Amino acid sequence: MTLALVSLVGAFLLGEALLRIVKPSAVGVSRLPAIYAPDPVLGYRYRPSTSGRIARAFDLDRTVFINPRGFHDVHRPAVGKRVVAVVGDSFTAALQVPVERIWTRKLEEALRREGDPGLSVFNLGLDGTGPDVQLELLRENLDWLRPEMVVVAFFANDVLDVKHERVFREVHAGYVLQYQSEEQARRMRDLAERLGADPRRWLFERLYLARLGLHLAEGDRNLFRTNVISPAHVGDAPVNRPRGRASLRPVFESFQALAQAEGFALVVVAVPGREHPERTVQLLRSRASLPGLRIVDPLPAMRETLAREGRSFSDLYWPRDPHFDAYGNEVFARALAESLAPSLRRPDEGPGETSPSGSASRRRNLPLR
């Protein structure tokens, strides 16, 4: 009996040790940072001056810091004379990397080297959103930013984001709730509280063998492994917009109208995905191609950089998380800078230009080449 017990304990300890050494994805955790607050227009936003933990299996585990204006970006007490504003989803918010390594920061550095050292790039990214929400986010920040150019960073899943009715997020009992109605939110809050008192949570946090057992029993999306509660967890399906409202074209028409009214240049950039890199630009050109809408495809320039530096396409992304890693942010920024730099030359570098000082000159359309 004693020998059997010793053998059992030994096997348990050996299994636990092996899991901690090998670190298979099945025993990793997936966490969104507790930085969200519900918003009646956007659905949700980042709470200003907050921080939270983001984790993806064993790819990354870091603390995210949100600036006083409510964005994952550096904080600038004053806005400069020349501003580029960027809106987009999780590829733009880039919670997976430190602020100084986000592609918008790298883009700013590259554009300053190419032209005006006083030019600033502001990151208005909000993960999980589509261009319809990003349009509203841009509108509410135009008065203080007064950009001369707006870049919309489009990813392939934005087609589905526009299709869904507004999604709200809030943080409750350590969970990020994603809901579309108050009734849904109520059920999610109850579920989060029950999970917080579940004794399996104590085991999950301390034993990799417990994590493996829960993974085998409940799959990747078990609510100990992830801290995100979605409609599926409470037996609901996402609510979609009626046909005709779930389209990219009207959204980009609204972007164009806003650009015309406010006097900024509009650029839409296709963000390539790891599995199907060409799909994003194909979707843009088939579903959102409009007269006068400038679409930039950075993929050829990114591939040139990879070939020159002897790197593979997969090096742009985390091994298990689908977003750009720090190197991917850098390469994407360099490729985009090649396309944007000619349009953002300092006024004294081009014929017939005037000084950018003064709000009227900042709020004009610049030539797009």
Side-chain angles (χ1 to χ4, degrees), residues 130-132 154-163 244-255 280 283-290 293:
D132 54 335
F154 178 89
F155 186 62
N157 67 2
D158 287 349
V159 174
L160 292 178
D161 291 331
V162 171
K163 181 179 179 182
R245 289 177 54 208
S247 171
L248 290 175
R249 190 175 297 272
V251 176
F252 283 109
E253 287 174 343
S254 296
F255 267 111
T280 301
L283 282 170
L284 265 177
R285 289 172 176 163
S286 65
R287 302 196 185 191
S289 183
L290 296 167
L293 181 65

Side-chain angles (χ1 to χ4, degrees), residues 52-328:
R53 176 195 178 198
I54 186 171
R56 289 288 187 275
F58 294 101
D59 276 4
L60 63 103
D61 193 336
R62 61 175 302 270
T63 300
V64 173
F65 296 96
I66 301 302
N67 72 16
R69 288 196 179 272
F71 298 106
H72 188 224
D73 196 5
V74 295
H75 177 54
R76 301 173 177 88
V79 179
K81 292 182 178 180
R82 304 192 69 200
V83 169
V84 174
V86 180
V87 295
D89 61 8
S90 54
F91 274 91
T92 301
L95 304 179
Q96 298 80 9
V97 297
V99 163
E100 62 271 14
R101 306 196 74 174
I102 296 174
W103 67 263
T104 53
R105 292 288 293 147
K106 296 299 180 180
L107 176 64
E108 179 181 273
E109 293 170 8
L111 291 175
R112 285 180 172 183
R113 288 193 299 268
E114 292 288 332
D116 189 344
L119 185 144
S120 298
V121 178
F122 281 75
N123 187 331
L124 307 184
L126 183 62
D127 69 294
T129 62
D132 54 335
V133 173
Q134 295 154 21
L135 175 65
E136 297 302 326
L137 191 59
L138 175 63
R139 280 188 175 125
E140 73 173 41
N141 287 282
L142 277 177
D143 284 345
W144 68 271
L145 276 176
R146 305 185 71 80
E148 65 181 64
M149 176 181 285
V150 170
V151 176
V152 181
F154 178 89
F155 186 62
N157 67 2
D158 287 349
V159 174
L160 292 178
D161 291 331
V162 171
K163 181 179 179 182
H164 292 159
E165 287 285 6
R166 187 68 77 239
V167 174
F168 298 87
R169 282 185 186 176
E170 68 175 65
V171 178
H172 186 80
Y175 281 89
V176 176
L177 315 183
Q178 296 189 152
Y179 56 88
Q180 292 182 296
S181 70
E182 185 53 40
E183 168 58 24
Q184 230 175 43
R186 184 192 62 77
R187 285 181 283 146
M188 289 181 179
R189 293 179 196 121
D190 290 344
L191 176 58
E193 291 168 7
R194 292 198 305 272
L195 289 165
D198 194 314
R200 291 178 296 173
R201 173 163 296 284
W202 188 92
L203 292 171
F204 182 91
E205 296 296 337
R206 289 161 178 79
L207 297 173
Y208 279 24
L209 280 170
R211 295 184 183 188
L212 180 60
L214 281 165
H215 172 77
L216 294 174
E218 300 183 19
D220 269 348
R221 291 176 57 78
N222 76 76
L223 289 173
F224 299 100
R225 174 184 170 87
T226 180
N227 71 333
V228 179
I229 300 179
S230 63
H233 289 118
V234 292
D236 291 349
V239 178
N240 294 331
R241 292 189 170 107
R243 188 181 299 275
R245 289 177 54 208
S247 171
L248 290 175
R249 190 175 297 272
V251 176
F252 283 109
E253 287 174 343
S254 296
F255 267 111
Q256 283 186 307
L258 186 62
Q260 182 67 30
E262 297 293 330
F264 60 79
L266 178 66
V267 179
V268 182
V269 58
V271 181
R274 178 172 54 196
E275 302 303 326
H276 305 286
E278 291 85 5
R279 185 164 180 260
T280 301
V281 73
Q282 290 169 353
L283 282 170
L284 265 177
R285 289 172 176 163
S286 65
R287 302 196 185 191
S289 183
L290 296 167
L293 181 65
R294 183 183 181 191
I295 295 174
V296 171
D297 179 13
L299 191 56
M302 293 173 73
R303 284 178 165 150
E304 287 179 11
T305 298
L306 292 171
R308 187 168 57 250
E309 298 181 356
R311 304 288 291 267
S312 67
F313 195 76
S314 62
D315 290 339
L316 301 172
Y317 304 84
W318 295 95
R320 284 167 282 203
D321 183 277
H323 296 91
F324 289 143
D325 58 17
Y327 179 66

